Amino acid sequence: MTRRTIRQYSKQEVSEQLLNRLMTEAARTQTMGNLQLYSVVVTRSEEMKKRLAPAHFNQPMVTQAPVVLTICADFHRTTRWCEERKATPGYDNFLSFQNAAIDALLFTQTLCNLMDEEGLGYCYLGTTVYMPQTIIDVLQLPRLVMPVATLTVGWPAEEPPLSDRLPIESFVHSETYHDYTSADIDRYYAYKEQLEENRHFCDINHKETLAQIFTDIRYTKRDNEAMSEGLIEALRHQGFL
């Protein structure tokens, strides 16, 4: 209930010992078949952070954070294990990517929870799947390894307000899925739409509704389709399609 996204970090180092301990603990999370279908690339050097930044639209925290973690869906390691043990792997398909991506995201969320408890700040970058080929090239990811999440990590240098959330009744369904009436939508989104900052977004962007900010500016159909093509091509390049 106190989780915040942190984009500004102090100069204090995040020690390798601490980070390794937290990643070791995070590895206790759920995993399909106990295979741990993920890998983490730890980026600390200024040069490598600068090379990664364009893949994340040059958001400042990528180069300013002490550490950048790229969490990957990884069936390469398991495939190599099979090949070295007289087994024939069959993981070059979309289902295997889905399984590995779920594993990787479960690990990511557990790591985030552990970092919260430790007092570390982080920002989850959804941009990881927007231009994955750039990340693949910079980090030299082999076949059957696909980036799915990025965390910028450091000690917080800010305490931003908590972001709003929809009420539980808007996303929990009893027994079966119950579709939304117009009245439901009005009720569930009223608080979000009346926040001063969101009303300001509409004003400065000359939009009638907050929903139009998302459809017309933030996540447009054209961008979604273009980045979907890039994602599919990267999955093909990495051997999952």
Side-chain angles (χ1 to χ4, degrees), residues 1-222:
M1 298 303 292
T2 60
R3 194 206 69 81
R4 292 170 167 83
T5 293
I6 301 298
R7 295 179 173 85
Q8 297 180 32
Y9 307 99
S10 74
K11 299 293 185 181
Q12 183 181 351
E13 177 190 8
V14 178
S15 73
E16 183 176 4
Q17 180 182 16
L18 172 60
L19 187 57
N20 285 346
R21 175 172 65 80
L22 295 177
M23 290 193 290
T24 299
E25 293 171 359
R28 298 304 305 171
T29 197
Q30 308 94 312
T31 170
M32 193 195 82
N34 201 26
L35 290 172
Q36 295 180 252
L37 302 170
Y38 49 81
S39 284
V40 184
V41 181
V42 180
T43 302
R44 291 181 181 271
S45 80
E46 298 302 318
E47 177 188 354
M48 289 297 289
K49 284 187 280 189
K50 287 178 181 177
R51 291 178 62 190
L52 281 173
H56 300 290
F57 300 99
N58 290 307
Q59 295 177 87
M61 56 274 195
V62 177
T63 53
Q64 294 172 3
V67 182
V68 176
L69 304 178
T70 305
I71 300 94
C72 304
D74 185 351
F75 245 118
H76 176 75
R77 183 183 64 251
T78 302
T79 294
R80 289 289 299 117
W81 174 58
C82 292
E83 291 169 343
E84 293 290 332
R85 296 297 182 269
K86 301 179 182 179
T88 304
Y91 307 121
D92 53 347
N93 46 67
F94 185 73
L95 178 63
S96 296
F97 166 71
Q98 181 80 345
N99 287 330
I102 291 169
D103 256 26
L105 292 174
L106 285 168
F107 173 87
T108 301
Q109 183 58 65
T110 302
L111 180 60
C112 287
N113 292 342
L114 292 167
M115 290 193 296
D116 278 326
E117 293 176 6
E118 200 69 34
L120 283 167
Y122 59 86
C123 181
Y124 179 96
L125 304 184
T127 46
T128 306
V129 295
Y130 290 175
M131 290 189 284
Q133 192 59 53
T134 300
I135 299 172
I136 290 166
D137 293 342
V138 170
L139 300 182
Q140 301 178 29
L141 303 182
R143 188 174 184 272
L144 299 183
V145 180
M146 186 75 181
V148 294
T150 300
L151 301 172
T152 58
V153 181
W155 299 101
E158 62 171 344
E159 190 174 351
L162 295 176
S163 54
D164 64 280
R165 289 293 187 266
L166 294 173
I168 186 173
E169 58 267 25
S170 71
F171 58 84
V172 174
H173 302 256
S174 178
E175 306 298 346
T176 61
Y177 190 103
H178 297 277
D179 207 350
Y180 300 95
T181 66
S182 296
D184 290 335
I185 296 298
D186 290 344
R187 184 168 68 256
Y188 297 151
Y189 284 86
Y191 177 75
K192 182 186 291 286
E193 291 174 334
Q194 292 305 314
L195 286 173
E196 184 60 35
E197 63 207 67
N198 289 336
R199 293 165 66 95
H200 181 62
F201 286 153
C202 292
D203 290 341
I204 63 176
N205 288 288
H206 309 291
K207 295 297 179 182
E208 182 180 357
T209 71
L210 181 62
Q212 292 170 346
I213 298 292
F214 288 85
T215 60
D216 300 354
I217 299 175
R218 295 192 65 183
Y219 307 111
T220 69
K221 177 179 175 64
R222 182 181 64 182

